[in-house]
Amino acid sequence: MSINWLRFVSPSLKKPPLFHLCHFPPSSSSSAVIVAVSYDKELAAAKKAASLAARLCQKVQKALLQSDVQSKNDKSPVTVADYGSQALVSFVLQQEFPDNFSLVAEEDSKDLRKDGGQEIVERITKLVNDSLTSDGSYNVTLSTDDVLKVIDNGRSEGGSQGRHWVLDPIDGTKGFLRGDQYAIALALLDGGKVVLGVLACPNLPLTSLSDAGQHSPNNKVGCLFFAVVGGGTYMQPLDGSSAVKVQVSAVENPEEASFFESYEAAHSMHDLSSLIAQKLGVKAPPVRIDSQAKYGALSRGDGAIYLRLPHKGYREKIWDHAAGCIVVTEAGGVVTDAAGQPLDFSKGRYLDLDTGIIVTNQKLMPLLFNAVRKSIQEKASSL
């Protein structure tokens, strides 16, 4: 762990922006020692890796949508983009942080190594090398074996000790195939806590969804959200121009709130969400969006509530929420499970949750929590 500075301070000191604070018991001669760790280098690398991956995915999706021969059942484009995204992010992070590099990611190369996978691997390798060449930071050409190895960097189990990068190379694969929303979601765990998050959302409009909708032809798209613990949340265009600080919605009256939920019914019980909205008095219909783009949109105030209430037996993976969670909380929001407990990313590749995930601002959370608990009880008693 790189330590920028340490000093003796009062225990009441508020944490400074862009630093992670570690508290130790006070000695007899002083008050608490606070060690501040800067994540500036990690943030720069994460933004670069996610942006490169987003460009690769945009290239694949553009070719997919322009092609007349691709059937909706052909999953090879998203496979190429998914693995290519993971390979790029893994390669960049390993180059920047070669010591004790750990990556918890969704994919591994098992399926690619099967008979018939060579052609896909070659396509992935070409895309990755083209992306690295266009970036120009790394004077290297990867072989197919190199690409398979960097994909397999993602096999780490994570946990509560040390640092672990957490990646979903394409969150929202069905949205990707439809030409809708998807995200490259990258976070950093340090001691089991999320300390940094980046969300690259290539199809998300730069202006509010409530103004532009998801498919406004005149609206520019492509957002990069990023947050470091204690430093707030920022959004910038994927083309790299200047960033602006964002805040969650300040709505206090639930009747005026709009809410997001998963596009796919398999990912969330829409009937339960409907019941919760009814109890709150929410009048606007739900906005259904794929991927962690919902977290990004919520962080800038496009909506006030996000409900993810999957069917019984579903286990949430940490890469589906780590980046989105810090992007919302650093923008002033609250993210808990349905029992009101904060999400615990220190247990490995899965989140152990009560029922689902609820996200809103601090003013609405007590009302939302009560509506969620009552609705869950009603649904259970009606079965």
Side-chain angles (χ1 to χ4, degrees):
M1 181 181 289
S2 62
I3 299 175
N4 290 68
W5 49 260
L6 58 86
R7 62 178 175 168
F8 294 97
V9 296
S10 163
S12 63
L13 176 73
K14 292 182 179 179
K15 58 187 178 184
L18 302 181
F19 289 93
H20 180 48
L21 304 186
C22 307
H23 296 258
F24 297 92
S27 68
S28 57
S29 59
S30 70
S31 57
V33 177
I34 295 186
V35 180
V37 184
S38 168
Y39 295 102
D40 289 348
K41 184 181 178 184
E42 288 80 0
L43 177 62
K47 287 172 65 178
K48 177 176 187 170
S51 297
L52 271 175
R55 280 186 225 125
L56 180 150
C57 293
Q58 285 174 306
K59 185 176 180 180
V60 177
Q61 191 184 55
K62 183 178 179 182
L64 166 68
L65 297 176
Q66 287 176 343
S67 171
D68 293 329
V69 297
Q70 294 285 2
S71 75
K72 293 218 172 176
N73 294 322
D74 181 7
K75 301 296 192 295
S76 62
V78 75
T79 300
V80 168
D82 206 18
Y83 284 110
S85 172
Q86 181 158 319
L88 263 181
V89 172
S90 174
F91 174 80
V92 170
L93 294 178
Q94 191 171 33
Q95 291 295 304
E96 299 297 331
F97 308 102
D99 298 328
N100 301 316
F101 174 63
S102 173
L103 176 66
V104 184
E106 184 171 19
E107 309 299 344
D108 63 45
S109 71
K110 183 179 175 183
D111 288 339
L112 295 176
R113 294 177 187 272
K114 291 178 180 176
D115 291 343
Q118 185 61 28
E119 188 262 337
I120 292 274
V121 176
E122 288 172 359
R123 285 168 63 190
I124 295 166
T125 303
K126 183 178 187 310
L127 274 168
V128 169
N129 282 324
D130 287 351
S131 300
L132 292 174
T133 300
S134 66
D135 174 65
S137 301
Y138 308 100
N139 186 21
V140 64
T141 300
L142 301 184
S143 68
T144 54
D145 281 345
D146 292 333
V147 167
L148 293 173
K149 284 175 185 173
V150 293
I151 288 170
D152 282 337
N153 283 340
R155 289 176 168 171
S156 171
E157 292 297 317
S160 61
Q161 302 298 313
R163 289 187 177 188
H164 307 280
W165 292 95
V166 179
L167 171 69
D168 193 335
I170 292 186
D171 187 28
T173 52
K174 290 182 179 177
F176 179 92
L177 283 167
R178 287 196 311 273
D180 285 342
Q181 299 302 328
Y182 66 99
I184 294 89
L186 179 61
L188 178 63
L189 298 182
D190 194 347
K193 304 291 185 184
V194 183
V195 296
L196 177 158
V198 174
L199 286 177
C201 306
N203 289 339
L204 192 68
L206 289 166
T207 55
S208 171
L209 289 172
S210 58
D211 297 333
Q214 290 188 61
H215 304 289
S216 174
N218 300 319
N219 196 39
K220 291 185 177 179
V221 298
C223 303
L224 186 74
F225 298 89
F226 58 94
V228 174
V229 64
T233 297
Y234 293 81
M235 182 192 80
Q236 68 185 67
L238 264 176
D239 65 16
S241 47
S242 59
V244 294
K245 194 168 187 177
V246 295
Q247 289 284 324
V248 296
S249 167
V251 167
E252 296 182 31
N253 182 353
E255 289 187 10
E256 299 170 7
S258 60
F259 74 94
F260 296 122
E261 63 182 359
S262 299
Y263 187 96
E264 298 291 333
H267 294 168
S268 195
M269 293 182 280
H270 289 166
D271 58 338
L272 182 55
S273 297
S274 229
L275 184 59
I276 293 164
Q278 188 182 335
K279 286 192 180 302
L280 282 170
V282 173
K283 292 177 179 175
V287 179
R288 290 176 180 159
I289 306 178
D290 297 282
S291 84
Q292 288 178 72
K294 291 183 284 293
Y295 280 110
L298 197 93
S299 76
R300 68 184 186 188
D302 287 13
I305 297 168
Y306 166 33
L307 300 172
R308 182 175 169 108
L309 303 161
H311 297 276
K312 191 172 182 180
Y314 182 82
R315 291 187 78 192
E316 296 282 5
K317 277 79 69 176
I318 62 171
W319 52 76
D320 284 326
H321 300 284
C325 184
I326 192 170
V327 161
V328 165
T329 56
E330 284 297 322
V334 186
V335 183
T336 74
D337 70 8
Q341 297 300 310
L343 308 189
D344 184 352
F345 293 94
S346 71
K347 304 295 187 185
R349 295 171 76 88
Y350 292 92
L351 291 168
D352 291 324
L353 299 172
D354 183 321
T355 309
I357 294 171
I358 55 178
V359 186
T360 189
N361 63 35
Q362 295 182 21
K363 296 284 180 66
L364 282 175
M365 183 52 91
L367 295 170
L368 177 60
F369 177 72
N370 286 335
V372 167
R373 296 314 293 173
K374 286 178 181 176
S375 299
I376 289 171
Q377 288 164 8
E378 276 187 29
K379 187 174 170 68
S381 65
S382 67
L383 294 177

